[in-house]
Amino acid sequence: MTRRADVTLILGLILVGLFLAAALLGPLLAAQAPLAADLGNRLAPPSADHWLGTDELGRDILARLAHGALTTLLMVVLVSAIAAPLGLVIGATAGLGGGWLDALLMRLTDIALALPRLVLALALAAALGAGLMNAALALALTAWPAYARLARAETRAAAGADFLAAARLAGAGPVRLIFVHILPLLLSTALVRLSLDLAGIVLAAAGLGFLGLGAAPPAPEWGAMIASGRKYLLDQWWVATFPGLAILLAGLGFTLLGDGLRDRLDPRTRRA
Amino acid sequence: MRRALGGLAGLILTLFGLLLVTFLIGQATPIDPTLTLVGDRANAETVQAARRALGLDDPLPLRFATYLGRVLTGDLGTSTLTARPVLSDLVRVFPATVELATAATLIGLALGLPLGLAGAYWHGRWPDHLARLVGVLGHSVPVFWLGLMALLLFYARLDWAPGPGRIAFALEGTVPTITGLLLVDALLAGNGPALQSALAQLVLPASVLGLFSVAQIARLTRAYLIEALGQDFVLAARARGLSETRVLLFHALAAVRGPLVVALALVWGGLLEGSVLTETVFAWPGLGAYMTQALMSADPNAILGGALLVGLVFVLVNAGADALQRRLDPRTA
Amino acid sequence: MVKLSRLPHLALFLALAAAPARAITPADILVIGGRYDDLVSLDPAEIYETSGAEYAANVYDRLVTIVNGRPEGALAERWEVSPDGRRFAFFIRPGATFQSGTPVSAKDAAWSLVRAVKLDKGAAFLLKQLGLTANDAERRIQAPDERRLILDLPEALAEDFVLKALASWVGSVIDSALVRKFEQKGDFGNEWLKTRSAGSGAYKLSFWRPGEGLALDAFPRHWRGMASMKRVVFKHLAEPSVLRLMVAKGDLDVARGLSADDLAALGRLTGVRVRTAPQAGLFYLAMNQRHPALSKAPVRQAIRRLIDYEGIAGRLLKDTKIPHQSILGEGFPGARLERPYRLDIEAARKLLAEAGIKPGQLTLALDVRNVAPSLDIAQALQADFARAGIRLDLRPGDGKQVLTRYRARVHQLVLAQWSPDFLDPHSNAQGFAWNPDNSDQSPFRLLAWRNAWEAPDLTRLVQRALRERDPNRRGDLYDELQRRLLEDSPYAVMFQDRHVWAERVDVEGFALGPGVDQLRLDQVSKRRANP
């Protein structure tokens, strides 16, 4: 059991590492500029000059994929940085506050959990207008409830603990309690949960990009690259195929990493 | 009884929240909704009159109250894309999505259940790894890309599947609409060629969308079964000398059918949502294609109406699944 | 043992051999694929988009029709114009009947025209520019008997212009006895007719599913005789690669809206023929005169020289658009086909320096539709502008978002499309050069207004040309107008649209023209060896 979890984890780490390397180093190392249009060399097949070929404006697909990795990474970071803290604070507040505050916040969370995420994110992104920030906001605003639930459960479990009572006696206010004493406790479970969510975020971001709701062109974005590449699917397969593979590999990496982390860190699944 | 009432109150609250969310999203739209009504070359007065007619100049709470009142009476506004009431559009397009999502769920069940069974039975061996692999892949592949690749391979290159669309174009309009589910309608009308064409058209998009449910169903079946296999009644059954196959199929599987049915309902609800990206690729004239078109032509009423419908079905399926779980699973009673 | 590694290939071969023969479309049904999601109403008084205009052209007849740029009788077998040019008399053809069986009379025609003016929907201006208003339409359009329709204009206008306006889709003659049965709250039956047909044309509506497409059935008793295609299906398919695939495989008879690359590939197939025809639409770059830099003539001149007209057309557009720089496209009588501007970075740099703008100093925002080829063209512009030291920020949006900004005059540069409503030069002249009131409250918001371009001289010129009854002198006025706009204006007209479509080789008579509604389905047939 542990061995399989490790294999999963290692595979996941490798893929995610590759993704991070592409995102952070790729733009520096890529020999070609991702935005440099070269109409004379459009839709060129993979070759020594352009390893993955060029797109409809003659731009190097490999360079665009590397920059697209950065876009995706930015998106993932933005969504996690908004959704997770938001959910955690709401959940911790509910768990610590109890009573009507708990009831109110958890009702809100339940409502938000029961709504269809992708469709609402889509409607929201459509209303806000295309753009990286808006797309991230749309995804984050539909992703926080899971964290709130988790944080509330953990906070309730810890509420009776001695160290909290001690902190209270020492005069810590609710804000201090939450940020200094409770949030650190939630970190490992939240990270596991987040790692399981990341693949979903990558896919949802690509989906929004595919529908033209992601980063504004000419910024390279994987979903948008597939959308514009689908016009050339029949003769120039590489234009749409490689961005799809990139999404697949990134998604796979995050899924494996999440599974592996869960198997390792989450005590509930560690048995057997 | 109290629990049921509480559930109902929760459901109503959730629906209210859904309405509030869709309303607020609608308010954020930067598009001049009068544009499609009066055309691009209308003069300023015509535009003003259209704005007043739409109530665009009222204060926010009043507009929400108006919105609530309208939605509760089934008025979702008029789609600027089709110039018809959004509700009638939804009634027209939704059955196609239901058909697709149901077919995808069935495909998911047909492939996912055996896969999950095998994974549980040969726990830790290659069938288990296969089940996990499918699960992980289904989790990571972008459905719109997979759809494109499937079309490229099975329609363009191999000619095994028909092209995009819900029925051969020449047969379009030959089946009278009764339920809106084309397969059912073709059966009712006794229209053989239409039924055949509709079935053939369904296979590819349903399989692509179904991959997600295969993954989910296989993963859940495997997990539930592994848990059940460790329980006392299974040990007892084994002790009675029953074969391992019998134990798995008749005892363990029977024990987890409750959660499985619930999971299936949730998978179905999720596929309704997932169809948004699939339908555009396959020119499948359902809710997803409708919403995407609405998106492309900036039609807020249609987008919000669609989101509301998906939300409603989603919420109801969720609530239904909860209720079902309480009835089927003695532990939560 | 056979070599096992061969097996997959063998299986593939068998599968290909066993693949069922593609079901081609039936011999008497025409299936057309393309963009058919823009239809919002089937009422000819309300229709305002290309697919609607094409629908109306085949379901409804008009008094006159335009053939090869010249007016020709349709429901009116002939017409007379009074010497003062203000009274038009149309004589209705006997024997024409509506699809309901009722004979077509002059009363129907008069009612239909008055109805369009009084309903005052988007396209009503086509008739209102003849001087007709909701108040006096009934007085000015009269049918003294079943055969005669009299039109009294408040002032004399060019005859060609009047006939072309009547030949547009708003001039469709509607079955008044039928539609009036469904009138409610003075809507002239608009609510009913929105989703139904009540015409005398060669086809009648079979069904319409908004966003998906529509189908028409031939009307057996049309006065020109029954059409050869019993049924025509218009299928909405937005994806060029799907269109291409389906016409290649015979699932479609005609595919419209193909991309330049797909056309090239289809041209190599044997079962399919690629065709093109001029279309009146123009693709242009507009410069808002409220922008301090763009209001300088040398900057406008520089921008015209920063566009790689030939390069973009050759590489990105191929046959779908061709370079064109005057405001009247090929197909309009008197269109100027000369193209004085070409990409010249050096000249542009000099002009910019002349305007006091140093390289790297100027950043401009370009609003553009987020679809091909607009976005591709915008990105090509971005690269060339950069070479002259102008930074171009793209603001992609969907068509309506871009239009909303354009109409609000908050754009700086916008890549836009112009389609004339009917094939008279006035349509474009008014669109590009007529701005009687440049204030924010102006009721007239055509292109010159949107770009805040005050052009009093040209506005007067447009008015004069409209009233000029001598066709030759009228032609000279439009020639002058085109020349002046080419010299300097807030527009850089870049391309003219071309219809491009692919059809199965057995399709005959499918033709498109410069007007938006020149498709005549009753002239289409299929040549099949064994039906």
Side-chain angles (χ1 to χ4, degrees):
Chain A
M1 195 74 199
T2 332
R3 259 200 63 224
R4 202 195 60 199
D6 283 346
V7 172
T8 311
L9 192 59
I10 290 168
L11 260 178
L13 278 174
I14 292 176
L15 284 175
V16 171
L18 272 176
F19 168 71
L20 287 178
L24 298 174
L25 303 176
L28 301 177
L29 296 181
Q32 319 273 351
L35 301 184
D38 175 9
L39 290 182
N41 196 18
R42 61 195 293 265
L43 300 171
S47 66
D49 285 343
H50 302 279
W51 291 2
L52 301 184
T54 64
D55 70 0
E56 68 276 17
L57 290 173
R59 299 173 297 200
D60 184 64
I61 290 181
L62 182 61
R64 287 181 68 74
L65 281 185
H67 280 76
L70 186 60
T71 313
T72 305
L73 179 65
L74 219 61
M75 189 84 172
V76 166
V77 169
L78 272 172
V79 175
S80 335
I82 303 171
L86 184 69
L88 290 181
V89 169
I90 288 178
T93 311
L96 201 64
W100 65 267
L101 190 63
D102 183 25
L104 177 77
L105 289 178
M106 279 305 110
R107 175 49 69 191
L108 258 178
T109 309
D110 283 347
I111 291 176
L113 257 183
L115 303 180
R117 279 180 61 178
L118 181 68
V119 167
L120 283 186
L122 193 134
L124 192 58
L128 295 174
L132 182 71
M133 205 49 217
N134 287 346
L137 204 62
L139 288 178
L141 286 181
T142 49
W144 62 269
Y147 299 93
R149 266 212 173 158
L150 193 134
R152 175 182 176 265
E154 298 264 325
T155 312
R156 299 286 282 190
D162 296 340
F163 73 97
L164 279 187
R168 269 211 193 89
L169 279 179
V175 175
R176 196 181 153 77
L177 273 181
I178 288 176
F179 281 92
V180 177
H181 297 278
I182 294 181
L183 283 186
L185 278 183
L186 301 176
L187 220 57
S188 77
T189 24
L191 272 181
V192 171
R193 171 73 224 191
L194 187 63
S195 65
L196 288 169
D197 265 0
L198 289 177
I201 297 175
V202 170
L203 285 191
L208 288 182
F210 181 70
L211 293 176
L213 295 173
E221 200 276 333
W222 290 349
M225 286 172 74
I226 295 180
S228 61
R230 70 200 281 205
K231 292 197 284 287
Y232 311 101
L233 203 58
L234 294 173
D235 303 308
Q236 291 89 18
W237 54 271
W238 56 90
V239 187
T241 304
F242 289 125
L245 282 177
I247 299 172
L248 176 63
L249 289 179
L252 209 57
F254 283 119
T255 309
L256 292 174
L257 181 72
D259 276 4
L261 273 181
R262 182 193 51 199
D263 289 350
R264 258 200 112 109
L265 295 180
D266 193 339
R268 268 166 301 187
T269 52
R270 207 190 285 161
R271 52 170 192 83
Chain B
M1 191 62 203
R2 254 197 85 202
R3 179 186 283 277
L5 274 181
L8 194 64
L11 184 62
I12 289 171
L13 259 178
T14 309
L15 291 177
F16 183 82
L18 176 67
L19 283 167
L20 186 62
V21 170
T22 50
F23 169 75
L24 287 177
I25 293 176
Q27 294 306 309
T29 307
I31 294 145
D32 182 355
T34 61
L35 194 59
T36 355
L37 279 185
V38 297
D40 163 29
R41 287 163 212 180
N43 62 31
E45 286 151 54
T46 319
V47 173
Q48 240 335 295
R51 279 192 71 82
R52 269 195 302 277
L54 290 175
L56 291 174
D57 299 329
D58 295 338
L60 199 67
L62 182 61
R63 268 180 288 161
F64 182 54
T66 322
Y67 176 73
L68 264 188
R70 278 201 192 137
V71 170
L72 291 180
T73 53
D75 176 8
L76 298 176
T78 303
S79 155
T80 51
L81 180 69
T82 65
R84 292 187 185 187
V86 170
L87 188 68
S88 79
D89 279 348
L90 293 178
V91 167
R92 184 168 43 80
V93 300
F94 194 50
T97 300
V98 170
E99 204 164 57
L100 181 60
T102 310
T105 311
L106 290 179
I107 290 176
L109 190 66
L111 297 178
L113 195 67
L115 212 55
L117 271 168
Y121 188 76
W122 287 288
H123 184 40
R125 305 233 296 280
W126 70 265
D128 190 16
H129 295 313
L130 181 69
R132 268 179 63 97
L133 184 70
V134 170
V136 168
L137 275 179
H139 229 247
S140 326
V141 67
V143 61
F144 48 93
W145 178 76
L146 190 68
L148 285 174
M149 292 295 142
L151 265 182
L152 184 63
L153 187 64
F154 296 112
Y155 173 55
R157 295 274 184 266
L158 298 180
D159 231 343
W160 289 0
R166 201 177 169 201
I167 190 168
F169 298 152
L171 293 173
E172 199 131 8
T174 58
V175 181
T177 304
I178 302 165
T179 59
L181 303 168
L182 198 53
L183 291 178
V184 178
D185 286 351
L187 261 181
L188 289 177
N191 189 338
L195 182 66
Q196 203 186 351
S197 168
L199 256 178
Q201 300 280 147
L202 185 58
V203 173
L204 201 56
S207 305
V208 167
L209 187 57
L211 179 68
F212 290 80
S213 56
V214 174
Q216 253 174 310
I217 292 169
R219 194 165 48 81
L220 290 173
T221 310
R222 175 184 168 277
Y224 290 154
L225 280 176
I226 288 177
E227 192 178 339
L229 284 175
Q231 291 191 354
D232 295 345
F233 69 90
V234 169
L235 296 179
R238 279 194 184 123
R240 289 211 312 273
L242 296 178
S243 78
E244 195 61 13
T245 322
R246 224 183 134 80
V247 168
L248 188 72
L249 288 182
F250 293 95
H251 294 262
L253 194 58
V256 301
R257 71 171 191 277
L260 262 187
V261 169
V262 170
L264 222 52
L266 292 177
V267 163
W268 185 82
L271 287 185
L272 283 184
E273 191 179 35
S275 66
V276 170
L277 288 165
T278 318
E279 286 182 4
T280 35
V281 173
F282 288 98
W284 191 261
L287 184 64
Y290 178 69
M291 287 188 69
T292 320
Q293 265 176 349
L295 206 70
M296 297 301 164
S297 53
D299 182 350
N301 284 344
I303 298 173
L304 294 177
L308 197 61
L309 177 63
V310 176
L312 182 71
V313 175
F314 206 73
V315 169
L316 290 180
V317 167
N318 259 318
D322 273 356
L324 205 62
Q325 182 144 34
R326 278 198 295 274
R327 291 196 61 166
L328 292 176
D329 189 351
R331 279 171 303 178
T332 56
Chain C
M1 269 318 255
V2 263
K3 282 179 195 150
L4 272 176
S5 61
R6 286 276 169 79
L7 268 181
H9 296 96
L10 188 64
L12 192 68
F13 175 76
L14 285 177
L16 281 173
R22 215 86 322 261
I24 51 167
T25 57
D28 54 357
I29 298 182
L30 185 74
V31 184
I32 306 174
R35 293 210 74 107
Y36 292 102
D37 64 338
D38 55 349
L39 265 180
V40 291
S41 171
L42 299 183
D43 184 339
E46 194 174 21
I47 282 169
Y48 204 81
E49 57 291 303
T50 314
S51 53
E54 281 181 1
Y55 162 85
N58 289 287
V59 170
Y60 295 90
D61 287 318
R62 297 117 197 226
L63 291 171
V64 289
T65 178
I66 306 296
V67 177
N68 295 329
R70 306 299 319 161
E72 216 173 70
L75 278 181
E77 40 183 4
R78 63 195 175 85
W79 63 89
E80 288 166 4
V81 187
S82 66
D84 67 355
R86 288 179 45 203
R87 169 169 283 206
F88 285 68
F90 295 92
F91 300 89
I92 303 294
R93 170 187 309 278
T97 61
F98 286 113
Q99 287 145 5
S100 65
T102 322
V104 178
S105 90
K107 311 251 184 218
D108 292 299
W111 184 78
S112 304
L113 293 176
V114 172
R115 176 182 185 271
V117 174
K118 285 198 160 177
L119 264 180
D120 200 9
K121 301 282 182 183
F125 77 92
L126 286 170
L127 294 176
K128 284 161 75 182
Q129 59 189 1
L130 300 179
L132 302 169
T133 67
N135 292 327
D136 66 3
E138 254 159 338
R139 190 165 55 75
R140 295 195 178 280
I141 308 168
Q142 289 196 345
D145 56 55
E146 299 287 302
R147 297 267 70 88
R148 224 152 29 105
L149 181 137
I150 308 292
L151 171 66
D152 277 310
L153 299 179
E155 58 175 330
L157 299 173
E159 179 182 335
D160 231 27
F161 173 74
V162 175
L163 293 173
K164 280 173 178 166
L166 290 175
S168 69
W169 69 91
V170 251
S172 294
V173 176
I174 298 168
D175 188 339
S176 66
L178 178 61
V179 174
R180 287 167 98 159
K181 276 192 231 154
F182 301 98
E183 226 168 332
Q184 40 175 327
K185 289 178 284 179
D187 77 340
F188 294 94
N190 170 247
E191 200 52 47
W192 185 83
L193 197 56
K194 252 182 193 177
T195 55
R196 295 172 181 84
S197 69
S200 62
Y203 283 89
K204 57 179 188 289
L205 180 68
S206 168
F207 70 84
W208 171 41
R209 289 203 209 93
E212 292 172 40
L214 68 159
L216 306 178
D217 287 333
F219 172 43
R221 287 164 44 208
H222 188 248
W223 54 273
R224 281 200 190 98
M226 185 173 169
S228 151
M229 293 288 105
K230 268 187 2 209
R231 188 181 176 83
V232 179
V233 180
F234 295 88
K235 182 71 195 164
H236 172 66
L237 290 168
E239 210 46 58
S241 54
V242 166
L243 278 165
R244 165 179 156 194
L245 205 52
M246 298 194 95
V247 73
K249 287 185 178 280
D251 288 330
L252 291 174
D253 292 310
V254 178
R256 300 173 63 180
L258 290 157
S259 76
D261 297 290
D262 289 323
L263 285 167
L266 278 173
R268 293 191 289 270
L269 294 181
T270 46
V272 180
R273 150 173 10 99
V274 173
R275 296 185 52 199
T276 72
Q279 190 179 357
L282 297 175
F283 190 90
Y284 67 97
L285 176 73
M287 317 170 205
N288 193 340
Q289 296 305 295
R290 288 194 169 165
H291 189 278
L294 295 176
S295 68
K296 295 178 186 164
V299 176
R300 294 196 293 267
Q301 290 299 340
I303 286 179
R304 285 208 182 84
R305 288 171 173 83
L306 286 176
I307 300 170
D308 188 5
Y309 305 89
E310 308 293 329
I312 295 173
R315 294 192 185 106
L316 290 179
L317 307 171
K318 305 231 165 69
D319 287 330
T320 59
K321 292 182 198 298
I322 52 166
H324 182 86
Q325 296 180 354
S326 139
I327 62 152
L328 289 184
E330 180 193 347
F332 275 103
R336 289 186 87 101
L337 300 181
E338 79 202 288
R339 300 201 301 273
Y341 299 104
R342 55 183 189 82
L343 179 68
D344 186 344
I345 307 278
E346 266 322 300
R349 279 207 184 120
K350 277 192 198 115
L351 283 159
L352 286 172
E354 194 183 309
I357 291 169
K358 293 187 199 59
Q361 212 180 25
L362 182 59
T363 298
L364 292 168
L366 173 65
D367 283 290
V368 56
R369 290 189 58 187
N370 56 2
V371 292
S374 300
L375 207 50
D376 302 334
I377 295 175
Q379 298 186 32
L381 289 184
Q382 200 173 34
D384 284 327
F385 275 47
R387 288 168 64 196
I390 300 180
R391 201 179 122 184
L392 209 52
D393 286 338
L394 302 192
R395 285 195 197 153
D398 85 75
K400 282 188 199 118
Q401 280 166 337
V402 172
L403 205 49
T404 299
R405 292 177 52 77
Y406 192 12
R407 282 165 53 97
R409 306 207 270 193
V410 294
H411 65 290
Q412 294 179 4
L413 293 173
V414 60
L415 269 182
Q417 186 93 28
W418 166 266
S419 305
D421 300 291
F422 60 115
L423 275 187
D424 187 89
H426 178 68
S427 190
N428 285 18
Q430 186 189 37
F432 282 93
W434 186 72
N435 187 9
D437 175 359
N438 198 30
S439 73
D440 281 340
Q441 288 74 40
S442 170
F444 308 107
R445 309 193 157 190
L446 292 167
L447 309 186
W449 180 87
R450 285 183 206 171
N451 290 296
W453 187 40
E454 303 230 39
D457 287 4
L458 292 175
T459 301
R460 275 193 296 277
L461 185 59
V462 171
Q463 281 313 121
R464 244 178 73 207
L466 177 62
R467 291 190 175 79
E468 179 56 63
R469 293 184 57 209
D470 178 344
N472 287 329
R473 262 181 304 185
R474 188 165 183 245
D476 292 343
L477 292 178
Y478 286 118
D479 195 57
E480 184 190 340
L481 187 76
Q482 288 181 73
R483 207 166 26 74
R484 287 178 57 181
L485 279 163
L486 261 178
E487 266 161 30
D488 185 35
S489 66
Y491 321 104
V493 176
M494 297 160 65
F495 307 108
Q496 175 175 6
D497 289 337
R498 283 187 80 78
H499 289 289
V500 282
W501 71 97
E503 57 189 28
R504 300 293 306 176
V505 283
D506 57 2
V507 174
E508 286 180 344
F510 186 92
L512 300 165
V516 287
D517 58 354
Q518 286 187 340
L519 173 61
R520 294 283 180 273
L521 293 173
D522 57 351
Q523 291 171 15
V524 179
S525 61
K526 281 191 193 176
R527 189 170 32 81
R528 286 267 167 93
N530 44 344

